[in-house]
Amino acid sequence: ALYGNLGNVFKSRGEYVKAKECYEKGLVMKMEFGDREGEAAFYSNLGNVFESGGKYVKAKEYYEKALAISREIGDRKGEATSYGNIGSVFESRSEYVKAKEYYEKAFAISIEISDRNGEAALYGNLGNVFISRGEYVKAKEYHEKGLVMKMESGDREGEAAFYSNLGNVFSSLGEYVKSKEYHEKALAISREIGARNVEKACNGNLGNVFIIFGEFLKAKEYYEKALAISMEIG
């Protein structure tokens, strides 16, 4: 369990090599114990690491292993997580129809088992698919629902991610002042909790907004911050 927790910390900080090392150690132990649910969870975590590194084929392979175990043991929450993760791989590969299909499977299970955190995450995933398809009003609706749920649960990193997503939606809708406001909220939270990956994305997003405003020096400042974090976390 502690290998898993440490892996999660390293993953949040963008230290994927260390995260992978922790998850692999934890996976071996779970397999030795015969803890199938734990094994599936570590396969999912390793899939996350490979996905973050852009190794989508490997990520999908690990997510499918987790899905198979979850189905085998009747773990509906784990099954939903795996569907969502596989959907994320398809989204990363710009296969949006397939991504939406998997997200909707996960969403249906999350509602069925009253998994509020899972439901919130899937509002975000589906919202991102709608952004990719240019359906910005629909995307805004989904991200706003997810934000409310993350605020209710006290998930600060999730809250920051939804502020960032809504900032992107407002940019797409041409509401740039609103976009800047939401990206700044996301940046403040990510700095507060030490979520370096989210902080990096927020700096990049604010750079984009300042480009639109014609404030190129300000944009350069934010891009340089994002670059520095990217280099720092590898």
Side-chain angles (χ1 to χ4, degrees):
L2 288 162
Y3 274 127
N5 292 336
L6 281 166
N8 292 340
V9 171
F10 285 125
K11 185 176 71 176
S12 294
R13 292 169 56 88
E15 299 181 43
Y16 301 121
V17 174
K18 285 188 176 180
K20 179 174 173 284
E21 181 184 322
C22 287
Y23 290 145
E24 285 173 339
K25 287 178 179 176
L27 174 62
V28 169
M29 295 176 77
K30 289 292 186 182
M31 291 173 80
E32 287 172 353
F33 302 154
D35 178 353
R36 298 289 278 160
E37 187 175 349
E39 184 183 344
F42 274 106
Y43 278 132
S44 288
N45 288 335
L46 281 162
N48 292 158
V49 170
F50 284 118
E51 185 178 359
S52 298
K55 299 178 182 177
Y56 302 123
V57 174
K58 198 76 176 172
K60 184 168 174 283
E61 176 189 326
Y62 275 81
Y63 291 147
E64 286 172 342
K65 286 181 179 180
L67 177 60
I69 294 171
S70 295
R71 283 174 169 170
E72 176 193 322
I73 64 176
D75 176 9
R76 295 289 278 161
K77 185 174 181 180
E79 186 180 347
T81 298
S82 295
Y83 279 131
N85 286 334
I86 294 169
S88 178
V89 170
F90 282 119
E91 183 185 348
S92 297
R93 291 166 58 169
S94 302
E95 298 181 44
Y96 301 120
V97 173
K98 204 75 177 170
K100 185 168 176 283
E101 175 190 327
Y102 274 83
Y103 286 148
E104 285 173 341
K105 286 180 181 180
F107 192 66
I109 295 172
S110 295
I111 291 174
E112 175 195 322
I113 64 175
S114 301
D115 176 12
R116 298 280 286 169
N117 275 335
E119 188 181 342
L122 287 157
Y123 273 126
N125 292 335
L126 284 163
N128 288 337
V129 168
F130 286 122
I131 289 175
S132 300
R133 290 159 60 100
E135 299 179 46
Y136 302 122
V137 174
K138 196 78 176 173
K140 179 173 172 283
E141 175 190 328
Y142 273 66
H143 284 311
E144 285 174 339
K145 287 179 179 177
L147 175 62
V148 169
M149 295 176 78
K150 286 295 183 182
M151 291 173 78
E152 287 173 352
S153 69
D155 178 354
R156 297 289 277 159
E157 186 171 353
E159 184 183 343
F162 273 107
Y163 276 129
S164 183
N165 288 336
L166 280 163
N168 291 332
V169 171
F170 284 120
S171 275
S172 298
L173 289 167
E175 299 181 40
Y176 303 118
V177 174
K178 198 81 174 170
S179 173
K180 178 173 171 285
E181 175 190 329
Y182 274 75
H183 285 314
E184 285 172 340
K185 286 180 179 180
L187 180 60
I189 294 171
S190 62
R191 283 176 174 167
E192 176 193 324
I193 64 176
R196 300 292 276 162
N197 256 340
V198 181
E199 184 181 348
K200 176 195 70 177
C202 292
N203 280 309
N205 288 332
L206 281 164
N208 295 340
V209 172
F210 282 113
I211 286 284
I212 291 162
F213 288 157
E215 298 183 39
F216 302 116
L217 290 178
K218 200 77 176 170
K220 179 171 173 285
E221 176 188 327
Y222 277 95
Y223 288 143
E224 285 172 342
K225 287 177 182 178
L227 176 61
I229 295 170
S230 295
M231 293 171 73
E232 176 195 322
I233 65 178

